[in-house]
Amino acid sequence: MKALFIGGTGTISMAITRALAANPDWELYLLNRGTRNTEIPEGVKVITADVNDEEQTARALEGMRFDCVCDFIGFVPEQLERDYRLFAGRTKQFMYISSASAYQTPPADYLITEGTPLCNPFWEYSRNKIACEEYLLKLYRENGFPITIVRPSHTYDERNLPLGAHGDNGSWQIVKRMLEGKPVIVHGDGTSLWTITFNTDFAKGFIGLMGNTHAIGEVYHITSDESVTWNQIYAIVADELGVPFKPYYVPSDFLHDVGPYDFRGGMLGDKSNTVVFDNSKIKRAVPGFVCTVRADQGLRKTVRNMLATPALQKEDPDFDQWCDRVIGALEAAKESLRKG
């Protein structure tokens, strides 16, 4: 069977790319600009084109047909409109990566199923994903376009830790603060439940949907069944580093209000809410699917890899100073109130 990935080298898609490269049942093509092609496994074919240049892409794909086309980098309906023009009649299945952040926020029930309403007034990213889903479902209902929609939640790999409040350069600065014995900001009181999924586990469920007749016209989320608190996530990281966990708890809305980081979407519209996922539907569609990388195993693996890979150690002094200012301001407020 022949598959085409639009993208294919990101956190989610790279694990799927690697797994399919070792799968004799699939012939995989990646359509991308070639910026990360050194990481692509042997045997994967690359079509170098900018998908945003529709004419260039159409020429590159001329005469090609696929059993499955997967878009990992579509964020707004206009991009899906382009995909429809490019792939209608060219594929037996079109898979779209949406987001679990599209689910009702704040949630009316902690347990999330595919039937949970879609609504996120906090995050434009999520609303755009909802609009993309609605567009694709309309194409399926009215034109028979063979879509499958997949909603990942917080999926990570060995290159970046799934932490809460961080700066623009990812999670390394939080690791660095821990190593330096500094407190780290944890949103809320750290007790809300969160679901993190290692990308190799996500890949197993996703591949099981590729070419799956029963997945046409359907929506699935693919996550771990394990839920952990934010305190547990940070504590596991600290333990792997061999340092004490020194949390400094700050309300999520306060973090957003004091800026300059935009925590309204990713924090108020996502990470600050307890969510637990019911994965019954993906398990029915993909018999035997189960996530096997526990949170502690994935987190420890990522910490070890980041410590061993200087390229992943991207310092963020602005975020570090911001953390110090937030903590200092709250400590000063406490002292002022104590004095009356």
Side-chain angles (χ1 to χ4, degrees), residues 63-277:
M64 301 186 74
R65 296 290 184 274
F66 302 95
D67 294 288
C68 184
V69 172
C70 310
D71 188 343
F72 293 91
I73 55 174
F75 300 101
V76 294
E78 290 76 13
Q79 293 169 319
L80 277 299
E81 293 170 7
R82 172 208 63 208
D83 288 350
Y84 180 64
R85 292 190 294 269
L86 286 170
F87 297 109
R90 197 190 291 272
T91 184
K92 297 175 184 177
Q93 182 184 29
F94 181 86
M95 298 183 70
Y96 173 61
I97 293 287
S98 183
S99 171
S101 68
Y103 286 122
Q104 183 185 54
T105 306
D109 191 316
Y110 80 98
L111 187 63
I112 304 297
T113 73
E114 285 82 357
T116 297
L118 304 184
C119 172
N120 193 326
F122 297 92
W123 205 358
E124 184 180 16
Y125 163 83
S126 305
R127 294 193 296 275
N128 284 335
K129 287 289 190 178
I130 294 170
C132 288
E133 288 195 26
E134 290 173 344
Y135 172 73
L136 290 175
L137 289 168
K138 184 174 186 291
L139 288 178
Y140 171 67
R141 289 192 298 265
E142 297 182 1
N143 300 344
F145 189 51
I147 60 101
T148 300
I149 294 169
V150 178
R151 299 172 183 150
S153 186
H154 201 158
T155 307
Y156 69 109
D157 64 6
E158 70 279 4
R159 295 176 290 187
N160 200 26
L161 287 164
L163 300 179
H166 59 75
D168 297 328
N169 286 342
S171 59
W172 173 253
Q173 195 64 44
I174 300 173
V175 172
K176 190 170 185 291
R177 288 182 67 88
M178 287 183 173
L179 290 171
E180 293 172 349
K182 292 182 175 181
V184 293
I185 291 177
V186 178
H187 61 278
D189 62 2
T191 61
S192 61
L193 288 172
W194 194 241
T195 301
I196 56 175
T197 307
F198 207 74
N199 66 345
T200 53
D201 278 338
F202 179 90
K204 292 185 289 187
F206 190 90
I207 292 170
L209 294 176
M210 294 176 62
N212 188 329
T213 300
H214 302 292
I216 302 300
E218 296 288 349
V219 180
Y220 302 87
H221 52 237
I222 303 174
T223 79
S224 172
D225 289 324
E226 179 186 18
S227 297
V228 288
T229 67
W230 285 103
N231 281 331
Q232 289 173 317
I233 291 172
Y234 280 83
I236 290 166
V237 173
D239 184 67
E240 182 62 28
L241 293 171
V243 300
F245 172 38
K246 297 180 179 180
Y248 195 92
Y249 300 112
V250 182
S252 299
D253 56 352
F254 183 89
L255 290 172
H256 167 67
D257 290 342
V258 298
Y261 302 101
D262 181 13
F263 290 129
R264 177 173 171 80
M267 188 68 69
L268 300 180
D270 199 25
K271 297 181 181 70
S272 64
N273 300 285
T274 282
V275 289
V276 177
F277 294 91

Side-chain angles (χ1 to χ4, degrees), residues 248-249 327-340:
Y248 195 92
Y249 300 112
I327 293 170
L330 289 172
E331 286 300 301
K334 289 179 185 177
E335 184 62 26
S336 176
L337 289 169
R338 288 191 194 105
K339 292 178 179 179

Side-chain angles (χ1 to χ4, degrees), residues 1 19-27:
M1 298 180 74
L20 286 181
N23 188 332
D25 294 334
W26 285 96
E27 178 184 0

